[in-house]
Amino acid sequence: MPVLELPATAYRTRFFLGAISSIQWPFSFTFILLKLIGDSSLLLRIALYAASLPIWIGITEWYNEWRNDRLAREHGAQTIPSVKGKWPGNVDIMLRLGKDLRTGYVMQVFTDLLDEHHCDTLNVRILWRSMIISRDDLVIKSVHSTKFLAFERGFEGREWMGTFLGRGIFVSDGEEWKQNRAMIRPFFSKERISDVNIVDTHADKAISILTEAAQSNTVVDLQDIYARFTLDAGADFLLGMKTKSLSAPRPVAFTARLGAKGAATDGDFGSFAYAFDHIQVVIALRTRVGKVWPLYELFGDRTLPDAKVITDWVKPRVEEALQEKAKRRQDGLSQGKSDRTLLDTLIEQTEDEAAVRYGLLNVLMASRDTTAALLSFTTYLLCLHPQAMQRLRQEVLESCGQTGQPSRESLQKLPYMTAVLNESLRLFPPAPRGTRQAIKDTYVTSAEHGTFIHIPKGSRLNWNTVALHRRPDFWGEDAEDFVPQRWLDPEIAKRIAERPSMYIPFLQGPRVCPGQDFAKLQVAYLLSRILQKFSQIELVPEALPKDAIPPEHWKQRKGRQSTEQCWPSTAFTLFMKGGMWVRVHE
């Protein structure tokens, strides 16, 4: 039956209608059977109705398996191996996925499941529904590029994120998505991002905060500063908005509370930042749990309180822009092309405040969270490898000088900076996973099988960029190590040129990130300014809130997990739980 699509807040109605739809056939057949039998005892009727559902599930499962095997054979493809959990419907696997989001190392449960089953693509079958995870670069490439039209976010994506992002670019599909992307793309043109003055204004504020901290020997949360810098710079550059978050109260070392992602802060901006982060964590849990997430929120939509706080913070700014538009129209004034911002374009298309607000939130999330993650994890890796930091600092001083504003031309003459950023993006891609739904039976190339594999219609395919970027067969036995110089090796450049799908920090194909150049510019610019001013950045992990300290049992695990000094986690994007507390030295 077609899925009934209702407003995002009507998820319980949709879930129960779907549940009723699922049981109508077994109960209908049982009713007919009892009619044929004639008079029967109450006990028999109860037993038959109770047994009808598991029997129906078993028959349906057998049929789907037979159908998928047949379709795979007909198309010369293979079926994806499936997980056999301990509990019916793989409920134990579903709980494991949800627990990992809250307490695990970033994306580790996906990697563990693939390792346990000795494969790169696996069907975890949550509640008898296909949920596929993959670190196979060719499978991921099919979703992003070669079979792009066969996958979409689907109604579930809109239901998961609707109260936060409406029908913006991160939620929409088809023509609606194309229109959203076409509207955003011009604001990331080379001509626009070549002007570093806007970025410099906010970099000055960030540098002044760090200078004050250095002079007073104060420990600061650098992840928090980066998130504020990218919010202020992105909002100013794209929307012409002055959010001034760098001037708002910041968390205090050793007394800070654990927030939704980093450290919690007080005040109006602190409430907005918590809501902005927490709503993403709630949505991320929905994607992990899958089809039955409404049961987790049976007594209330957990995104609504956060959505209200976000709306209260953003709505006045949108209404002010709409009022300015009305005043310009009344005065007969037009706006020059060079002065136009993305917010101006949004309000020209519609006077619906909610539509403008959702469009604005999609852009703010992208410009803030991914760039802040890249800044945070790059600095973290440099702190762990002081020799790399000193080499990068020397390069910056030679190309950009010891003081002053680095030009775009000087930033382009930093090969080691490029290598450091590439290696950070490899180990800690800001968007570590993604999901799409197959809208039809699809056959995609698999590097693992050397042939096609069958993706059944309705399946959710989740790609794991972290696991892809740490595959030893692509990157060598030191795949989990921070080795920037690998990017200066011509062999690596040749390998990626031949197989670009092995490295996709900004995705690939039609949905490749349009703002990647602006993100890299912000990161290179601010890091250069910081390295001009400061000779050392020292991690202070003891300043972390108690619940953000990496668990002791991680030390017994394999890979980076055993030595990590922060807790990498993910919602929509990567972050360090509890923040990244540092001491800077001029």
Side-chain angles (χ1 to χ4, degrees), residues 299-340:
F299 300 104
D301 187 330
R302 291 178 59 203
T303 66
L304 288 181
D306 295 325
K308 183 181 185 306
V309 173
I310 293 167
T311 299
D312 290 345
W313 195 82
V314 175
K315 188 174 181 178
R317 292 160 172 81
V318 174
E319 289 176 338
E320 182 181 349
L322 289 170
Q323 289 167 7
E324 289 178 1
K325 170 190 172 181
K327 188 174 185 304
R328 284 198 305 270
R329 181 188 298 166
Q330 183 178 350
D331 296 342
L333 300 175
S334 60
Q335 195 171 34
K337 187 176 181 181
S338 61
D339 299 328
R340 183 185 298 275

Side-chain angles (χ1 to χ4, degrees), residues 141-162:
K141 180 181 178 181
S142 296
V143 178
H144 292 161
S145 303
T146 54
K147 297 295 180 76
F148 175 74
L149 295 177
F151 296 90
E152 62 178 24
R153 291 194 182 275
F155 90 96
E156 282 185 340
R158 295 187 285 277
E159 192 175 54
W160 291 334
M161 298 183 277

Side-chain angles (χ1 to χ4, degrees), residues 64 67-68 70-72 75 147 150-151 438-444 453-459:
N64 286 333
R67 172 189 177 275
N68 292 337
R70 178 177 60 81
L71 287 174
H75 291 81
K147 297 295 180 76
F151 296 90
I439 60 176
K440 61 182 179 181
D441 287 290
T442 307
Y443 307 89
V444 304
I453 56 174
H454 174 220
I455 309 294
K457 179 181 178 180
S459 302

Side-chain angles (χ1 to χ4, degrees), residues 168-243:
I169 191 169
F170 288 107
V171 183
S172 54
D173 291 303
E175 286 302 317
E176 188 177 23
W177 168 77
K178 287 181 182 178
Q179 291 170 9
N180 283 326
R181 186 177 176 87
M183 177 177 60
I184 290 172
R185 197 178 189 92
F187 294 92
F188 292 109
S189 66
K190 290 183 179 180
E191 293 75 17
R192 279 181 58 83
I193 64 176
S194 64
D195 182 2
V196 296
N197 289 325
I198 288 179
V199 175
D200 184 69
T201 300
H202 305 288
D204 276 342
K205 180 63 177 174
I207 294 294
S208 69
I209 292 171
L210 294 177
T211 301
E212 183 181 332
Q215 292 172 351
S216 60
N217 198 33
T218 303
V219 176
V220 293
D221 181 1
L222 199 49
Q223 177 177 254
D224 175 73
I225 293 171
Y226 285 156
R228 293 164 186 258
F229 163 76
T230 54
L231 175 64
D232 288 352
D236 196 355
F237 176 80
L238 292 169
L239 304 167
M241 290 174 56
K242 308 297 182 184
T243 49

Side-chain angles (χ1 to χ4, degrees), residues 248-287:
R250 299 188 305 278
V252 179
F254 304 103
T255 62
R257 310 181 313 278
L258 181 63
K261 290 183 179 179
T265 53
D266 298 321
D268 289 343
F269 177 75
S271 298
F272 165 76
Y274 179 88
F276 200 81
D277 290 341
H278 186 257
I279 199 169
Q280 295 178 47
V281 173
V282 172
I283 293 168
L285 182 60
R286 290 176 172 183
T287 68

